[in-house]
Amino acid sequence: FGPPCVGKTTLSYTALENKIPAFTTHNYWATSSIYNSRSMKEYVTHIINLDIPLFLDCGGLSIGWLNGMKEDGVFTRDTKTVLLLPPIDVYLERERMDIESIGEHRNQDGSKHYDEGFKKKSDYDLVVEEVLSPQEILDYIIEKTGFKNEL
């Protein structure tokens, strides 16, 4: 989890480069108009029900939604939630660079999302606040959560 442009998708790609199954909600948003009868809940449930260790970039989802899904039994209790939340100045610069390079349509009011994440830090199993490379973040998450890539 994390605000727009924080590095969730980059982390998913880094997991793939390390031969760890990874999915992103970008796949859902890109195809939701084609498969409009399928909900985000159904999409994420199918991913989680693969019953393999994996990384899931939950862009566009809230921690409250995911925790509700845990309570409903859709996800197992061993599902770990991670929030990417670097220092605000670092985050705002990343967001600015993304908007500048890709276009104003990428402006998703990231500071608002950042503040929401900051207020809910205690809802996550792990919060990564350090300025680290994608590989270092992946390694840190694996170490702190006990993630095992056992296919």
Side-chain angles (χ1 to χ4, degrees), residues 66 110-111 125 150:
L66 184 72
S111 59
D125 297 308
E150 300 170 344

Side-chain angles (χ1 to χ4, degrees), residues 27-38:
N27 299 343
Y28 172 79
W29 300 121
T31 61
S32 62
S33 62
I34 298 168
Y35 303 107
N36 60 5
S37 62
R38 299 185 187 233

Side-chain angles (χ1 to χ4, degrees), residues 28 38-47 61 65 69 72 74-75:
Y28 172 79
R38 299 185 187 233
S39 68
M40 174 65 81
K41 176 181 176 181
E42 185 178 3
Y43 175 77
V44 171
T45 300
H46 286 306
I47 292 171
L61 302 178
W65 180 83
M69 298 288 278
D72 291 345
V74 175
F75 303 130

Side-chain angles (χ1 to χ4, degrees), residues 58-113:
C58 290
L61 302 178
S62 73
I63 187 65
W65 180 83
L66 184 72
N67 285 336
M69 298 288 278
K70 275 181 165 181
E71 290 169 13
D72 291 345
V74 175
F75 303 130
T76 63
R77 295 284 174 198
D78 63 348
T79 300
K80 303 291 186 221
T81 56
V82 177
L83 174 64
L84 303 181
L85 204 68
I88 186 69
D89 59 325
V90 172
Y91 170 69
L92 291 175
E93 179 61 14
R94 287 180 188 170
E95 181 190 38
R96 184 198 63 74
M97 290 184 336
D98 193 62
I99 293 168
E100 192 174 277
S101 68
I102 298 176
E104 186 60 32
H105 69 280
R106 288 290 293 159
N107 187 345
Q108 301 173 59
D109 195 9
S111 59
K112 180 183 124 202
H113 294 286

Side-chain angles (χ1 to χ4, degrees), residues 52-63:
I52 58 172
L54 56 85
F55 274 67
L56 173 62
D57 159 8
C58 290
L61 302 178
S62 73
I63 187 65

